[in-house]
Amino acid sequence: MPCLEGSLSVLLYVPLFPGKAKLLIASTVQFFIHKVFLFFPYQDMVKEASTYLFNATKQRYFFKTVKIIIPLHWLPKPEYLSVKTESYDKADVIVANPFLKYGDDPYTLQYGGCGEKGRYIHFTPNFLLNDNLYNIYGSRGTKVFVHEWAHLRWGVFDEYNNDAPFYVSVDSGKASVEATRCSASVTGKYIVQSCTGNSCTTRECKYDEQTKLYEAGCKFVPDKIQNAPASIMYMQSLPSVVEFCDQSTHNEKATNLQNKMCNYHSTWEIIMNSPDFSNTSPINSASPPFETSFSLLQTKDRVVCLVLDVSGSMTGNNRIKRLYQAAEIFLLQIIEMGSWVGIVTFDSTAQIKINLQQIVSENVRQDLITYLPTTAGGGTNICEGVRKGFEVIKQKYSNLYGSEIVLLTDGEDGSMSSCLTEVKNSGSIIHTIALGPNAAPELEQFSNMTGGLRFYATDTVDSNGLIDAFSGISSGSGNISEQSIQLESTARSVAVKQWMNGTVTVDSTVGNDTFFVVTWDGITSPPDILLRDPKGKEYRMSDFTVSNLNLRTARLSIAGTAEVGDWYYWIQNNHIAPQVISMIVTSRAASLAVPPVTVKAHMNKDTNNFPNPMVIYAEVSQGFLPVLGATVMATVEPQTGSAVELKLLDDGSGADITKNDGIYSKYFTSFKGNGRYNLKVRAQGKDMIVRRRRRQSQALHVAGYIENGEIKMNAPRPEVTDDEIQAKLGSFNRVASGGSFVMENVPSGGTTDVFPPCKIIDLEAHSEKDKIRLSWTAPGNDFDVGQADRYIIKMSESFLDLRNTFENATSVNTSGLVPNPAGTKESFQFKPENFTIENDTIIYFAIRAIDNASLPSEMSNIAQAALFVPPKESSPDGAPNDDVINEGINVLTIVLIVAGSVIVVSIAVSITVCILHKKNRRGGPELSMC
């Protein structure tokens, strides 16, 4: 019977139950279990969550199987199976220590917009083991797990807002301050708690004199006993909550991220629009049709076989030499110590160059590079190469489970379909590198089916595309202390006797196993090299090593830990003609105890259809800490035409959904035609401060409950000191390949303007006497690139009218408002006209940008101006009871709320839990996640 299966990312199946025309979805849950969790009742937790999820999705969705991945250093047992394509990098759930000392809030990291899957769920060991957190979050298995699952799997957002916890609502002509929540029928009181030592008192909240909302420190404390069944995405800890908010219970006026990002649609509407629920209907059962089953998988040593194309086309564009340069860097610098490596070449047939060798010393690495190909000729038979790679692996292991193939080719092969099924069922992960414009278009099927990485390298040698592809194939174990980190990868054409100069920063988080590599085009006349470390020590060409097998590469290995600071280099072209010279620098973590700064580049999809935009993401972090304020540049290189460079931003506008979360984002629309595009990201920081901040899109930390009329407050979320929320990082350089994507249906002969400005998602409002000032971040002419032509601003006293019929709402005069370039902070002040200004009135505002082709953006988030005088008996002491505006009308301070002005990261489902373990098989400490 088919079911929704999944390894690290959930693969979907739709089970059809015999005798019933009912469809539902089952999912595989995967746990990476640390030793501390041997006695943790994870089975009960997941079973409870499965039943709760089944009922919350109206008898449609449940967890069918759980895969628990056992660390390599544990003693093997007969019941332990082998991992297949599972890995930490594709984990759905990571269990690891927090990035903040007291940061036990469960959260989901989500890059994308409404309905897009998240990256992973993060639980801390303390959260899973500490029963004292039960009252704060509710059942970790039943409630919290499902809350996070919805974030991860279905791309919905939180229905509370810590940054805007209150808003003004008008009901039956009467205004009141409400807690940001869904549903609005959740009852409770507004409480301030004050503590001195161990003694705490509570009182009702007062109104703030400036905002007319509740004062700072005010918390909404719910009644423990409720009649409201929704919502799981607001306060899942309440016993009555068993549903997601739907159209009948959704609170579209709440200032939360669900409204902001999902155009005021309920979470259940978004979930039901997911592909998971297409063609599904509920079954008549109170519990899932299957009980969740569990299996144990154990990781093993990394096993990699290089399967390299040596067909005749590899002689063109110097490809075979470039292949040697890139593969040499992979073998000498990238592949981790302790890994097993074999090499296969193929043309019309395939040949084993060397069987698996374990890298236990530098001598093994040097021996392996002697088997790299240096000549090419013949046809192309990709399947023969892959099968020969499988044969190499099977000479050591009884199966292919968990092994990796690095498959590189530049040619087409009409017989690739003959081994697709074999590849899919192999249990091996296949990473593909397409070289040049004619590489088989079916190549990506291999990586897509097996969960492998996919890269594309052009024949433009000054892009370093092939070297960057090999450098991006590091272990997916999550043990970042073992992985190679690329600090620099740059290349350019240098004229005769001219210099290529630059600076590479080695920061304090890296420095071990550091290599400086210089490559060039000409076989004769190697360049002159001068490299100077931060203390003034100089390295010349004579200090570099040039192999007899590769006369176009010079390599310098820095002994011990490289000096922290700026390293300067000068390289002179001594060739008789201009040539391309490149500098590549790699390193590893300086300490097992301190995670290095990393950058991970992603795209929102692997294959895209014109005219949909691509979204480029770069996650800059140190462990789980976001690194803020970096300069992040993305280079997108098409199959034909010149590369495009973009600056990625972490400002909460355009493609970036959350400000200051360490995720830098940008739309990409400069398509040069159909075919492959590759992505490279460069991140730089100068005297950086790593700011630790709590992740958004968390399960709500509940302040307390009211039981039988008694207020019972939970322990407050622990506060952290300034020393704990920031750390001196210094300067750093990082380079990372983001892989490749494929564009389809791009019109030939150029394109007209089909890309509108992006949606404005940060519209805010501020009161200035009788005027209103709106502010937002400027969109571009094409999404978040360029400059829009004009703005249309609308206002209405009806939220629904503005949302549903923007065009019919009252216009604001914007004749003097000229858009600024994308990313600029805009500000516009005006006096509302044609509105009767009186107490208990709310005016709603929204904006659209129009480009020079008259293409409109989507309507922005809705900002509201609430004209509201708080009740006198609840006003703060000494606060004025009313104000007078121009026309002499008694009013009213204008309280302005941004609908959805919240910084949040979503949470979703597909569950793989990776646990931090402290000891590896060689006895040393490590930061290993699974």
Side-chain angles (χ1 to χ4, degrees), residues 581-818:
I581 296 175
S582 70
M583 169 64 84
I584 302 100
V585 184
T586 64
S587 189
R588 299 187 198 271
S591 168
L592 296 175
V594 179
V597 174
T598 60
V599 57
K600 298 177 182 178
H602 303 279
M603 295 156 292
N604 63 326
K605 58 186 73 173
D606 292 329
T607 301
N608 188 33
N609 283 287
F610 186 89
N612 297 314
M614 291 293 295
V615 183
I616 299 170
Y617 303 107
E619 178 187 356
V620 187
S621 61
Q622 183 185 14
F624 290 102
L625 301 176
V627 174
L628 310 183
T631 299
V632 183
M633 305 299 297
T635 302
V636 181
E637 190 177 14
Q639 197 162 292
T640 57
S642 57
V644 177
E645 191 170 68
L646 299 167
K647 184 176 183 179
L648 310 186
L649 300 175
D650 184 19
D651 63 353
S653 69
D656 190 68
I657 68 169
T658 305
K659 183 177 181 179
N660 290 338
D661 64 349
I663 311 298
Y664 300 75
S665 315
K666 196 77 171 178
Y667 285 106
F668 175 74
T669 59
S670 300
F671 303 118
K672 303 294 180 66
N674 293 321
R676 297 182 174 101
Y677 291 68
N678 71 34
L679 170 64
K680 178 177 181 176
V681 167
R682 178 184 302 274
Q684 292 180 302
K686 189 69 175 176
D687 296 325
M688 297 297 298
I689 296 293
V690 182
R691 297 201 61 84
R692 298 165 167 85
R693 53 168 301 176
R694 300 183 191 275
R695 293 289 189 185
Q696 303 293 329
S697 292
Q698 314 166 340
L700 179 62
H701 187 287
V702 180
Y705 299 97
I706 301 173
E707 296 186 65
N708 300 319
E710 181 184 355
I711 299 172
K712 297 181 178 179
M713 301 298 287
N714 291 320
R717 177 188 276 117
E719 297 297 327
V720 292
T721 66
D722 288 343
D723 289 340
E724 290 172 323
I725 64 173
Q726 65 183 34
K728 182 70 175 179
L729 177 62
S731 301
F732 68 90
N733 284 62
R734 294 294 185 272
V735 175
S737 173
S740 65
F741 65 92
V742 174
M743 277 302 301
E744 298 176 346
N745 301 317
V746 178
S748 58
T751 63
T752 57
D753 187 354
V754 295
F755 302 110
C758 64
K759 174 183 175 180
I760 294 168
I761 60 175
D762 61 348
L763 178 64
E764 298 182 359
H766 304 275
S767 63
E768 298 180 1
K769 295 184 179 180
D770 61 337
K771 295 182 176 62
I772 291 174
R773 181 178 295 276
L774 300 179
S775 62
W776 65 93
T777 302
N781 184 72
D782 296 336
F783 290 95
D784 55 4
V785 177
Q787 186 172 347
D789 184 67
R790 64 187 188 277
Y791 293 116
I792 297 175
I793 299 176
K794 297 282 187 173
M795 59 183 179
S796 174
E797 291 185 61
S798 169
F799 175 91
L800 293 177
D801 287 350
L802 184 60
R803 186 190 72 175
N804 298 332
T805 57
F806 175 88
E807 295 79 7
N808 298 333
T810 301
S811 296
V812 174
N813 185 352
T814 58
S815 58
L817 178 59
V818 179

Side-chain angles (χ1 to χ4, degrees), residues 522-585:
I523 297 177
T524 60
S525 304
D528 282 336
I529 302 172
L530 172 60
L531 175 68
R532 182 179 297 150
D533 77 6
K535 290 188 173 180
K537 181 178 180 179
E538 294 185 349
Y539 301 87
R540 303 279 181 170
M541 184 63 180
S542 58
D543 298 305
F544 285 69
T545 300
V546 179
S547 169
N548 291 331
L549 297 172
N550 181 11
L551 297 177
R552 304 182 186 190
T553 300
R555 177 175 287 98
L556 173 67
S557 174
I558 304 300
T561 302
E563 292 288 346
V564 173
D566 290 338
W567 292 63
Y568 300 94
Y569 63 85
W570 297 264
I571 308 171
Q572 185 182 38
N573 177 19
N574 287 329
H575 197 44
I576 58 175
Q579 65 174 336
V580 172
I581 296 175
S582 70
M583 169 64 84
I584 302 100
V585 184

